[in-house]
Amino acid sequence: MNAPAPGMDPGNLALSRKEDFRAFVHTPRRLQPRVLSRAELKALPAAERSAYNRERRRWHANLGPIRTPQLAALHEDLWDIVDSNVQDGDKAKGAVAVDAFPGLGKTTAVLAFAREFHRREIAEQGEFTDRGHERWPVCRVGLTGNTGMKDLNRAMLEFFGHPGRATSTAAQLGLQALDCVLSCEVRLLILDDLHFLKWRRTSGIEVSNHLKWIANEFPVTLLKVGVGLADKGLFSEGETPAETVLAQTARRTTRLDMPPFTIDTEAGRRHWRQLLLALEQRIVLADSFPGMLADDLSDYLFARSTGHIGSLMTLVNRGCQRA
Ligand SMILES: Nc1ncnc2c1ncn2[C@@H]1O[C@H](COP(=O)(O)OP(=O)(O)OP(=O)(O)O)[C@@H](O)[C@H]1O
Ligand SMILES: [Mg+2]
């Protein structure tokens, strides 16, 4: 049951269900369309040309993930942390928070990691647990706007397709989620866009306590992804008594950053250039030439994206489309 269902279209995945996640893990990378010259393009019959153009559009919209220095560094840290988190179930494990501004590639990098982790665990330990349950090394939950504790628990059950997700109370939902996590031997729990959690005063403590409960009871490495988590007090040391409680979570969490590209230093400029060179090779346009991005457009692209990879990829995608 390793292959994705036939006809599964990677453009149509949601990743909030385990089956979709598996399809994501096992879909082979897209094949880069061949570069055709203008003459070749002209010679194509209309139907084939539009098929070719559609393929190119999809290709340009899904470039990557490119192994940027930020992504490589994040993966290295994540491997270290996840692989050192092999304490027995009775001890709380360390948690990780990837905290950076929007559009710097957090989700992309974390999902690429989850994909590799899933593959490695399944390859080493098999598709089923000793008790005969399916093994799901990774559980990934993307939060929606203003999620409360109950919604968070429900989203975890949703990932596993648990039938109890419709009815129960928050506490029951939590226990059912724990049950799924234990049965399926989940090792990595990813909470994406964690800043969506309701975070006002009392619920800030509630959230922190809930995360603490997950860290204590679930034998998983908790990987939190979000924007401005530090400002939400997730890592604060705590001065008032209320904040001291928050420190419980703070102490266990390793904070990882994803910086934007910069051009103030020699090394920074080199990384930026390498990214553009890597991108160039992936662009499928009739008149593309080496140096098109890296030499001719380097400054322009940096000014427009201010080093944020999300903006850069959007620009490149739209530019290719226009061309
Ligand atoms: N390593 C990469 N290679 C290629 N494209 C990338 C890479 N990292 C990010 N991108 C592109 O940048 C866009 C934004 O990335 P992503 O969604 O991962 O950012 P994010 O930090 O999670 O943003 P947000 O905080 O808004 O959730 C993605 O659509 C993706 O196409
Ligand atoms: Mg994201």
Side-chain angles (χ1 to χ4, degrees), residues 282-301:
R282 299 180 188 220
I283 287 181
V284 185
L285 291 177
D287 290 340
S288 59
F289 55 91
M292 179 173 68
L293 297 184
D295 295 331
D296 294 5
L297 289 173
S298 172
D299 293 341
Y300 171 75
L301 287 173

Side-chain angles (χ1 to χ4, degrees), residues 61-68 71 100-110 192-193 195 225-227 258 275 279 282 308-314:
N62 294 285
L63 294 176
I66 294 169
R67 203 173 159 77
T68 60
L71 183 136
F101 285 114
L104 289 172
K106 299 183 293 297
T107 306
T108 310
V110 164
D192 199 354
D193 288 330
H195 53 280
V225 183
V227 177
M258 284 204 92
L275 172 68
L279 267 175
R282 299 180 188 220
H308 290 61
I309 190 161
S311 319
L312 174 70
M313 302 305 285
T314 311

Side-chain angles (χ1 to χ4, degrees), residues 190-202:
I190 301 176
L191 302 179
D192 199 354
D193 288 330
L194 190 69
H195 53 280
F196 281 172
L197 270 183
K198 282 185 197 148
W199 214 282
R200 307 257 174 297
R201 294 202 184 141
T202 53

Side-chain angles (χ1 to χ4, degrees), residues 28-33 55 59:
R29 297 218 183 281
R30 288 169 196 270
L31 290 179
Q32 179 160 358
E55 203 189 332
W59 168 256

